[in-house]
Amino acid sequence: MAIEGVRVKCTHGLLLLFLTVVYSTATAQRHLPNIVVSTDIGGSDPDDYQSMVHLLMYADRFNIKGLISSPPHGGRKQHIVEVIQAYEKDYTKLIKHAENFPSPQDLYRVTKQGATAIQTHHIPDKPSEGAKWMIKKARENKRQPLYILVWGSMTDVAQAIHHRPGIKKNIRIYSIGSWNTVQDTNSRNYLYHQHPDLWWIENNSSFRGMYLGGYQEGDYGNESFVAAHVKGHGALGELFWEKKKDIKMGDTPSVLYFLHGDINNPEAESWGGSFSKNAHGPNFWTDNSADSLRQNDRAGAKTVNKFRKAYLDDWSKRMQWLKD
């Protein structure tokens, strides 16, 4: 009987431990930022592959609610899937270091095809599958904002907001503008002019601090870092190397913003830049135009590259997990 009693106690103890782990994991996930990424990966610029690899190396730091293939050009859902397939090969190594890494199956489930062409009129078209998914995710949890990270055209975001403007109170946007805006001015201008109440960081040039300036000595150069700390580091590292052999990663500041800094205060310092309000709207921020923060005449770029050594060191430690 004593042995049976011990067995019962052990069983209860294991059950309590299991429930504690489940509760702790669920609690931790509730406090992670909810994000949807809208990306033109597979289009004309390979740096979205780089940023997607980097994002998935930090997937334990987010609740990834959606990965949407968006315009311009020929990027499609299959190109997001290509990166998830590399992640799947590395997953067993990643999960050893952080239990919050989402399963590859979870990532496949939230990967959707958005619009396949840019917005051609001043008013957005009917919502794509990707836009409908954004709407669904924005409505899902009204106690926590849904952050939409835009790495390409804003076509799908514009469709979602146009058809369901009520979601605005639940979403926050961090967009990489510049070339993306030139490629699809209609969707960006629709949101800018028709929805000035949006919570929106529009990064038009600060992102260039990802590869311009900052500490680039030794292994910290754009090419030398990739050769030393990315190439040969798991399937994700090899995919990064295959697509582009030097750091550009122009969309990555939208991820870095969440890794170090106050996500509720775009004007504060963060790895993803610090931004300034203008007269446009109460919750609109863009590049800080101070002369002291320019790099190669790119406004705000130094708000990103000043942290280059710190965020590259942090990333290289994670890439090393894939070599262990």
Side-chain angles (χ1 to χ4, degrees):
M1 294 297 294
I3 294 175
E4 289 180 3
V6 170
R7 187 175 298 157
V8 169
K9 287 180 182 178
C10 289
T11 301
H12 286 169
L14 288 172
L15 177 61
L16 180 61
L17 177 61
F18 172 76
L19 291 175
T20 300
V21 170
V22 170
Y23 175 79
S24 299
T25 301
T27 301
Q29 289 176 334
R30 280 199 297 271
H31 290 89
L32 296 174
N34 296 325
I35 67 166
V36 166
V37 176
S38 170
T39 172
D40 58 334
I41 187 171
S44 60
D45 191 343
D47 81 321
D48 281 57
Y49 275 104
Q50 296 184 315
S51 292
M52 188 64 71
V53 167
H54 180 273
L55 169 66
L56 295 187
M57 287 300 301
Y58 284 91
D60 62 310
R61 299 283 298 273
F62 301 92
N63 287 322
I64 299 177
K65 298 294 186 179
L67 299 172
I68 312 299
S69 171
S70 298
H73 305 304
R76 296 293 182 268
K77 174 183 173 181
Q78 70 195 54
H79 300 114
I80 301 174
V81 168
E82 184 181 359
V83 187
I84 301 173
Q85 287 171 336
Y87 174 85
E88 188 168 12
K89 294 176 182 177
D90 293 333
Y91 179 68
T92 54
K93 292 183 178 179
L94 292 171
I95 202 71
K96 290 178 183 178
H97 295 273
E99 61 189 10
N100 283 337
F101 275 101
S103 72
Q105 290 69 33
D106 287 340
L107 294 177
Y108 289 130
R109 277 193 290 269
V110 301
T111 300
K112 308 294 177 181
Q113 182 61 55
T116 55
I118 62 170
Q119 183 175 314
T120 55
H121 304 289
H122 294 302
I123 301 300
D125 297 324
K126 64 181 181 180
S128 66
E129 177 193 14
K132 289 176 182 177
W133 188 256
M134 289 179 186
I135 293 168
K136 180 180 179 180
K137 295 294 115 177
R139 288 171 157 179
E140 210 168 60
N141 182 358
K142 295 182 179 179
R143 292 175 297 178
Q144 234 182 318
L146 177 70
Y147 289 87
I148 301 178
L149 315 186
V150 184
W151 298 358
S153 166
M154 301 192 77
T155 306
D156 291 297
V157 182
Q159 290 176 0
I161 291 174
H162 178 68
H163 289 277
R164 293 292 183 271
I167 67 173
K168 287 189 292 182
K169 60 182 179 294
N170 300 328
I171 64 173
R172 297 181 176 186
I173 298 170
Y174 185 129
S175 67
I176 305 296
S178 185
W179 182 88
N180 294 323
T181 299
V182 172
Q183 296 300 302
D184 181 8
T185 57
N186 284 331
S187 63
R188 182 267 178 192
N189 288 346
Y190 166 78
L191 290 170
Y192 186 83
H193 294 298
Q194 301 301 320
H195 300 279
D197 55 336
L198 273 174
W199 196 105
W200 183 0
I201 297 173
E202 185 176 47
N203 183 337
N204 286 311
S205 56
S206 299
F207 71 88
R208 297 189 186 276
M210 191 71 208
Y211 56 90
L212 293 177
Y215 188 82
Q216 297 206 26
E217 302 298 319
D219 286 353
Y220 293 90
N222 288 330
E223 294 184 14
S224 57
F225 182 87
V226 175
H229 303 288
V230 181
K231 179 185 179 184
H233 290 63
L236 285 168
E238 282 302 297
L239 181 64
F240 186 108
W241 171 260
E242 174 192 324
K243 298 299 181 181
K244 200 173 192 312
K245 295 176 171 54
D246 61 307
I247 289 175
K248 186 182 179 188
M249 302 172 68
D251 302 299
T252 295
S254 68
V255 177
L256 295 177
Y257 178 78
F258 295 88
L259 301 183
H260 191 274
D262 180 359
I263 63 175
N264 295 307
N265 183 8
E267 296 172 55
E269 289 193 339
S270 80
W271 283 357
S274 55
F275 304 90
S276 297
K277 279 189 175 181
N278 61 21
H280 173 65
N283 294 303
F284 180 85
W285 296 265
T286 190
D287 310 288
N288 190 319
S289 61
D291 289 342
S292 61
L293 299 176
R294 291 178 176 272
Q295 180 77 52
N296 296 25
D297 204 34
R298 304 292 188 174
K302 287 186 178 180
T303 69
V304 173
N305 70 27
K306 68 184 294 184
F307 298 109
R308 180 182 173 96
K309 188 174 187 298
Y311 56 67
L312 291 185
D313 280 342
D314 196 72
W315 183 29
S316 68
K317 290 175 184 176
R318 288 191 167 232
M319 294 304 299
Q320 189 61 40
W321 295 349
L322 304 184
K323 296 268 291 189
D324 292 342

